[in-house]
């Protein structure tokens, strides 16, 4: 398969190409066409023409509602085909790839249902005035997504942006552009107005920068790493372009002494090993009450060692990392943990087989000052730390520059909720890591970024408010 550009309703394969690799085997499985500055310009101009034509905002808003419900149906029709491609290019288990397309369809249903409910308000100014607000799209919105959930993350911002009436240019991630191409093919087949959604592929430094620096771009949604987010914000600052930043994390779960061990272990399995740990909201640190630490460490080790490891198409529990570079990074960070004095009770190294597999890794004897306790690992590695008092646990959990998610486990509702209240993160999970859904607002504090995706709050990012103040001639 070739990941092509989709511009103004037409597919194009003009440009140089690079290979797309299957991280489970290291073999090439497709190609991606790289968009240069000229191609990006065409895509932005197509979005701008669509915006100015009023194709999305001219008809009654119920038009966008029905368009988006058609899109949700079209996504479901390509789920099997798209899931296999996404599984092969990203390495993730086939059932998770299917889940990502299902989630994509849900975003279009959820935000489609809001498209005809974006109302303004009237503001009383006394009998001589009539004043109201209108919520309107920014115009051309540029979206840049990473490779770890290319379909789900693209769908979450495309759906909210489209419901708000924006015309969008999205840049696919160069390492995993194929599944997103299938998604956009499905949207294109649902009578999408030409230019409403445009897709370009390519490297961040070329295609991505050309897109976010384009003078017609009026709004940016970026999901990815902190250094890239910072670079994009510098560029956005030049033209004062409003931006949503969904960046990394170093999230902690707190396990109180009365927590149910099976519940915690199930959450560790999803929190740490889902998508091989390549999740911005991964459970990266687990702070465990001293009285439960050894028993829990043993149970987590047993679960980690029982994980079935394999190629995504076999639908195993643990799959490869996205690339050789990513594997090197994760392994080096794990080695630094050992040098710093942590103990790997299981794992700690790459797996000697084709593809980019890392052992499921659990560290004990971790101190808060170690790199493995401070830096985002983005691999299947967990650090266990001990605490004695709740205050100590909260201080350790909040001792990070990030603030994406956090978690608390325990049966005593008062203590558990009081702990949750003190955690400085955009979303706090209680007794289930990754509780929530497309309906629940998601986003960070600190280095994890700002703005919210998912839930009703996301629409606020994609809309701007115009106030109309009328002096009545009485
Ligand atoms: P990355 O920042 O390297 O790349 C993300 C995207 O940005 C890619 O499409 C890339 O091509 C593009 N890009 C790179 N440089 C650019 C530039 N100068 N201008 C414009 N675009 C540019 O991140 P990654 O390695 O692909 O993804 C992993 C990171 O993403 C992790 O830090 C992870 O935590 C974060 N992430 C955050 C969320 C969230 O919702 N908060 C979700 C998933 C991933």
């Amino acid at each position: 398969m070739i990941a092509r550009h989709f511009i103004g309703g037409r597919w194009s394969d003009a440009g140089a190409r690079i290979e797309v690799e299957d991280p489970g085997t290291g073999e090439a499985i497709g190609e991606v066409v790289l968009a240069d500055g000229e191609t990006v310009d065409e895509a932005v101009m197509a979005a701008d023409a669509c915006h100015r034509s009023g194709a999305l905002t001219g008809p009654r808003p119920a038009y966008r509602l029905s368009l988006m419900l058609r899109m949700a149906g079209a996504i479901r029709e390509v789920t099997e085909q798209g899931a296999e491609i996404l599984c092969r290019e990203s390495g993730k288990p086939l059932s998770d790839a299917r889940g990502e397309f299902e989630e994509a369809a849900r975003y279009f249903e959820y935000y489609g249902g809001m498209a005809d409910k974006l109302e303004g308000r009237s503001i009383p100014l006394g009998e001589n005035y009539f004043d109201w607000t209108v919520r309107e799209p920014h115009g051309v919105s540029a979206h840049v997504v990473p490779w770890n959930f290319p379909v789900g993350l693209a769908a979450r911002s495309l759906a909210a942006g489209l419901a708000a009436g924006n015309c969008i240019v999205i840049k696919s991630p160069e390492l995993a552009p194929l599944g997103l191409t299938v998604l956009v093919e499905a949207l294109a087949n649902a009578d999408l107005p030409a230019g409403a959604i445009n897709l370009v592929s390519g490297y961040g430094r070329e295609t991505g920068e050309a897109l976010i620096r384009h003078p017609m771009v009026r709004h940016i949604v970026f999901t990815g790493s902190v250094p890239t987010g910072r670079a994009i914000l510098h560029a956005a600052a030049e033209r004062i372009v409003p931006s949503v930043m969904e960046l990394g994390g170093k999230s902690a779960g707190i396990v109180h002494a009365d927590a149910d061990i099976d519940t915690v272990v199930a959450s560790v399995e999803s929190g740490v090993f889902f998508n091989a740990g390549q999740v911005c909201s991964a459970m990266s640190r687990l702070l465990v009450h001293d009285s439960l630490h050894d028993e829990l460490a043993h149970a987590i080790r047993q679960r980690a060692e029982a994980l079935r490891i394999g190629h995504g198409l076999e639908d195993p529990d643990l799959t490869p990392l996205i690339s050789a570079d990513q594997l090197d990074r994760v392994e080096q960070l794990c080695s630094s943990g050992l040098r710093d004095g942590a103990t790997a009770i299981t794992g700690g190294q790459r797996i000697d087989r084709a593809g980019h597999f890392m052992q499921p890794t659990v560290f004990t004897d971790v101190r808060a000052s170690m790199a493995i306790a401070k830096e985002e690992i983005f691999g299947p590695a967990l650090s266990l730390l001990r605490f004695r008092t709740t205050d100590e646990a909260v201080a350790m959990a909040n001792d990070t520059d990030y603030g994406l998610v956090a978690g608390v486990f325990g049966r005593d509702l008062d203590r558990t909720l009081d702990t949750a209240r003190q955690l400085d993160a955009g979303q706090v999970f209680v007794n289930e890591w990754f509780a929530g859904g497309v309906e629940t607002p998601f986003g960070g504090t600190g280095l994890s970024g700002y703005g919210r995706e998912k839930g009703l709050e996301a629409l606020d990012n994609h809309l701007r408010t115009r106030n109309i103040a009328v002096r009545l001639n009485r």
Side-chain angles (χ1 to χ4, degrees), residues 78 99 135 179 228 263 358 398:
V78 300
R135 301 178 83 198
T228 307
T263 300
M358 179 74 195
N398 289 341

Side-chain angles (χ1 to χ4, degrees), residues 145 147-148 156 171 174 204 223-225 228 246-248 280 376:
V145 287
W147 44 261
N148 58 343
R156 84 179 179 190
K171 188 197 89 65
E174 61 273 25
T223 310
S225 66
T228 307
E246 292 286 3
L247 309 176
C280 51
E376 183 179 45

Side-chain angles (χ1 to χ4, degrees), residues 143-149 153 156 171-175 202-213 222-229 231-232 235 245-249 278-282 322 326 376 378 402 404 442-444 448-449 453:
H143 299 189
V144 177
V145 287
W147 44 261
N148 58 343
F149 297 98
L153 297 178
R156 84 179 179 190
K171 188 197 89 65
S172 64
E174 61 273 25
L175 291 175
Y203 290 118
R205 275 291 162 85
E206 289 146 21
T207 315
E209 279 210 27
L211 176 58
I212 53 118
R213 289 184 180 278
F222 173 70
T223 310
S225 66
V226 173
T228 307
I232 289 178
M245 290 284 133
E246 292 286 3
L247 309 176
Q278 302 167 117
V279 183
C280 51
S281 48
I322 187 73
Q326 185 66 14
E376 183 179 45
F378 230 54
Y402 294 101
L404 195 53
F442 179 79
S448 295
E453 297 252 49

Side-chain angles (χ1 to χ4, degrees), residues 124-154:
L125 290 179
E127 62 184 12
N128 292 329
Y129 295 90
F130 185 36
D131 187 293
W132 73 98
T133 62
V134 180
R135 301 178 83 198
E136 52 191 23
H138 294 278
V140 180
S141 182
H143 299 189
V144 177
V145 287
W147 44 261
N148 58 343
F149 297 98
V151 171
L153 297 178

Side-chain angles (χ1 to χ4, degrees), residues 1-176:
M1 179 179 177
I2 300 172
R4 297 173 295 155
H5 316 305
F6 183 65
I7 298 174
R10 290 210 180 82
W11 291 95
S12 147
D13 55 9
R17 295 179 186 189
I18 54 169
E19 285 182 343
V20 178
E21 185 198 84
D22 176 340
T25 62
E27 289 162 8
I29 51 163
E31 287 183 319
V32 50
V33 185
L34 306 175
D36 59 13
E38 209 174 303
T39 305
V40 170
D41 182 57
E42 280 171 31
V44 174
M45 298 313 280
D48 186 59
C50 181
H51 172 62
R52 280 185 290 107
S53 75
L56 287 178
T57 47
R60 290 179 79 117
Y63 161 71
R64 293 203 300 284
L65 160 66
S66 57
L67 171 68
M68 292 181 66
L69 293 184
R70 269 202 311 281
M71 289 174 158
I75 295 169
R76 290 210 165 87
E77 278 173 26
V78 300
T79 289
E80 277 310 307
Q81 174 212 352
E84 184 176 333
I85 290 166
L86 176 61
C87 161
R88 294 187 59 185
E89 68 173 339
S90 67
K92 66 182 62 200
L94 186 57
S95 54
D96 290 352
R98 249 185 229 121
E100 208 170 314
F101 272 87
E102 170 58 29
E103 184 183 66
R106 277 288 298 132
Y107 279 122
F108 278 85
E109 284 168 356
Y110 179 78
Y111 288 112
M114 286 307 297
D116 60 346
K117 299 168 190 72
L118 302 172
E119 295 163 359
R121 62 197 175 102
S122 76
I123 300 168
L125 290 179
E127 62 184 12
N128 292 329
Y129 295 90
F130 185 36
D131 187 293
W132 73 98
T133 62
V134 180
R135 301 178 83 198
E136 52 191 23
H138 294 278
V140 180
S141 182
H143 299 189
V144 177
V145 287
W147 44 261
N148 58 343
F149 297 98
V151 171
L153 297 178
R156 84 179 179 190
S157 63
L158 285 175
L162 202 62
N166 292 283
C167 297
I168 300 162
V169 181
I170 185 161
K171 188 197 89 65
S172 64
E174 61 273 25
L175 291 175

